[in-house]
């Protein structure tokens, strides 16, 4: 099967070295296409750059589109000997943007990527010129999927053993079938998910050791955040919620009307909390908007950027 990176980006998959939150060097996988103002695409939990497969080409006609895999995901490094600190994603996102461009950027984040993007807009507003958030879990009170709950409660040492034994590799057909079933549940039209999609969506879990452990670790961080939020203990989620009114960057909020993970009412609440935001419902769209409503998402992004004099 043709390599997705090579087929999508002129230079294929490239590598960038940044320092993580603890000062250790980590390799970040990315691809870029187009010229002009930089536009970063940030994926959600358990995903990687492939989730933006329908957005790279249309957006790159107007911008320098940069897709990257966050640390621990996709083709980026997965350092499992060091436990992650809460909020590391925000710091590392800032360092990726600073390393790849010398001007304020457009940032498009989906799901947990959208939450991280909101945090970055609060902590490093100078890095962002425009912000687009899609189905952001900013007001969630639980992990939205049963598999996430299981991974969040499973000892990382056990998952590391599973990873070391390459069980996902040896049981690849089963892994692909299970993930296909679950991914179709977050699409309004499940039939659009092709065998090639399933191959690439599951590729890091099957072929790249460490993926399962790092995804589980991020889910455990998220579960602790929600628990601390519920117990009124210090947590990053409350900080993000409490500082939403400080985000003055022009922002577009996109939300699937059929999102069963995070309801559209959360999007309306987020819109009310941001001083310079536009809110748009994506019709016939579930949680996976970048796949299930790609054309509407791309059109909304381009119109928003045009309306805010950034096209």
């Amino acid at each position: 099967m043709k390599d997705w990176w090579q087929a999508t980006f002129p230079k294929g998959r490239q590598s960038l070295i940044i320092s993580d939150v603890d000062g250790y060097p980590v390799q970040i996988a990315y691809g870029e296409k187009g010229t002009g103002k930089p536009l970063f695409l940030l994926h959600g939990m358990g995903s990687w750059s492939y989730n933006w497969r329908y957005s790279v080409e249309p957006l790159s006609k107007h911008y320098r589109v940069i897709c990257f895999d966050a640390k621990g995901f996709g083709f980026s490094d997965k350092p499992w000997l060091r436990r992650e600190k809460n909020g590391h994603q925000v710091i590392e996102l800032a360092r990726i943007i600073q390393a790849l461009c010398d001007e304020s950027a457009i940032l498009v984040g989906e799901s947990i990527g959208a939450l991280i993007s909101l945090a970055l807009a609060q902590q490093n507003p100078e890095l962002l010129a425009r912000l687009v958030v899609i189905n952001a879990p900013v007001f969630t009170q639980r992990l939205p999927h049963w598999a996430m709950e299981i991974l969040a409660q499973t000892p990382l040492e056990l998952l590391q053993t599973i990873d070391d034994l390459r069980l996902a590799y040896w049981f690849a057909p089963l892994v692909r079938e299970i993930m296909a079933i679950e991914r179709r549940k977050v699409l309004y039209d499940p039939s659009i998910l092709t065998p090639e999609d399933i191959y690439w969506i599951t590729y890091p879990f099957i072929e790249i050791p460490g993926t399962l452990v790092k995804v589980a670790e991020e889910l455990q961080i998220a579960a602790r955040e929600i628990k601390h939020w519920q117990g009124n203990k210090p947590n990053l989620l409350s900080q993000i919620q409490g500082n939403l009114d400080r985000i003055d960057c022009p922002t577009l909020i996109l939300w699937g009307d059929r999102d069963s993970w995070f309801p559209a009412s959360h999007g309306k609440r987020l819109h009310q909390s941001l001083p310079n935001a536009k809110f748009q419902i994506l019709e016939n769209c579930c949680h996976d908007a970048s796949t299930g409503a790609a054309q509407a998402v791309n059109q909304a992004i381009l119109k928003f950027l045009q309306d805010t004099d950034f096209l």
Side-chain angles (χ1 to χ4, degrees):
M1 189 173 294
K2 185 182 295 185
D3 181 275
W4 178 76
W5 294 96
Q6 293 292 336
T8 305
F9 303 102
K11 294 184 179 180
R13 173 163 53 92
Q14 301 180 73
S15 295
L16 167 72
I17 302 295
I18 64 164
S19 295
D20 69 8
V21 69
D22 293 314
Y24 292 96
V26 291
Q27 182 172 278
I28 301 298
Y30 76 98
E32 63 174 270
K33 185 173 185 177
T35 59
K37 297 181 178 69
L39 187 155
F40 287 82
L41 298 172
L42 180 55
H43 60 78
M45 181 68 72
S47 299
W48 57 284
S49 294
Y50 185 77
N51 239 58
W52 295 107
R53 59 195 178 278
Y54 298 123
S55 294
V56 174
E57 176 62 28
L59 296 181
S60 69
K61 294 178 181 178
H62 307 276
Y63 299 97
R64 176 191 170 205
V65 173
I66 303 170
C67 263
F68 70 93
D69 297 345
K71 185 185 73 176
F73 295 86
F75 288 71
S76 290
D77 277 354
K78 300 163 180 59
W80 64 271
L81 290 175
R82 304 187 299 276
R83 290 295 171 246
E84 301 294 356
K85 296 179 180 177
N86 189 24
H88 75 92
Q89 307 101 319
V90 183
I91 295 172
E92 290 157 4
L93 172 58
R95 291 175 180 172
I96 291 169
I97 293 176
Q98 290 168 331
L100 290 175
C101 65
D102 56 4
E103 59 182 304
S104 56
I106 306 158
L107 179 59
V108 181
E110 182 174 38
S111 194
I112 190 67
L115 182 64
I116 295 168
S117 300
L118 289 168
L120 182 73
Q122 294 171 349
Q123 297 180 23
N124 298 90
E126 74 283 357
L127 296 180
L128 301 184
R130 300 291 185 272
L131 176 63
V132 180
V133 292
I134 308 172
N135 296 338
V138 63
F139 298 116
T140 187
Q141 299 181 20
R142 60 179 177 81
L143 293 177
H145 192 272
W146 62 268
M148 293 182 179
E149 291 282 0
I150 291 175
L151 287 175
Q153 297 173 23
T154 304
L156 293 179
E157 293 75 14
L158 174 59
L159 294 173
Q160 185 62 54
T161 299
I162 293 173
D163 228 342
D164 289 342
L165 293 173
R166 302 296 308 278
L167 294 185
Y169 176 82
W170 295 113
F171 293 94
L174 178 61
V175 172
R176 292 193 181 102
E177 182 60 28
I178 292 173
M179 292 195 73
I181 291 171
E182 297 306 320
R183 289 301 290 259
R184 290 190 177 105
K185 289 180 180 179
V186 293
L187 292 171
Y188 179 75
D189 179 7
S191 68
I192 68 172
L193 206 65
T194 68
E196 182 177 5
D197 290 336
I198 297 303
Y199 174 84
W200 284 115
I201 288 169
T202 58
Y203 187 94
F205 291 92
I206 293 172
E207 300 289 347
I208 306 177
T211 300
L212 179 65
V213 176
K214 296 307 291 185
V215 170
E217 186 174 14
E218 295 297 344
L219 287 169
Q220 292 183 8
I221 291 174
R224 285 197 300 270
E225 278 289 292
I226 294 171
K227 185 175 181 180
H228 288 170
W229 175 80
Q230 293 171 337
N232 292 318
K233 296 180 180 179
N235 64 90
L236 183 59
L237 189 58
S238 290
Q239 291 178 28
I240 295 172
Q241 293 173 355
N243 292 315
L244 289 172
D245 60 352
R246 298 184 183 180
I247 300 176
D248 59 5
C249 173
T251 301
L252 173 63
I253 303 165
L254 298 176
W255 219 282
D257 63 344
R258 307 295 182 92
D259 190 344
S260 60
W261 285 16
F262 313 120
S265 59
H266 288 189
K268 296 176 182 177
R269 183 178 172 188
L270 178 59
H271 181 219
Q272 294 168 354
S273 302
L274 296 177
N276 192 13
K278 175 184 177 182
F279 177 56
Q280 180 177 332
I281 287 288
L282 300 170
E283 296 183 358
N284 297 328
C285 175
C286 296
H287 184 68
D288 190 352
S290 59
T291 296
Q295 185 175 2
V297 166
N298 297 334
Q299 289 176 348
I301 292 172
L302 291 173
K303 185 177 186 305
F304 164 69
L305 295 173
Q306 182 179 37
D307 290 347
T308 58
D309 299 321
F310 219 71
L311 185 61

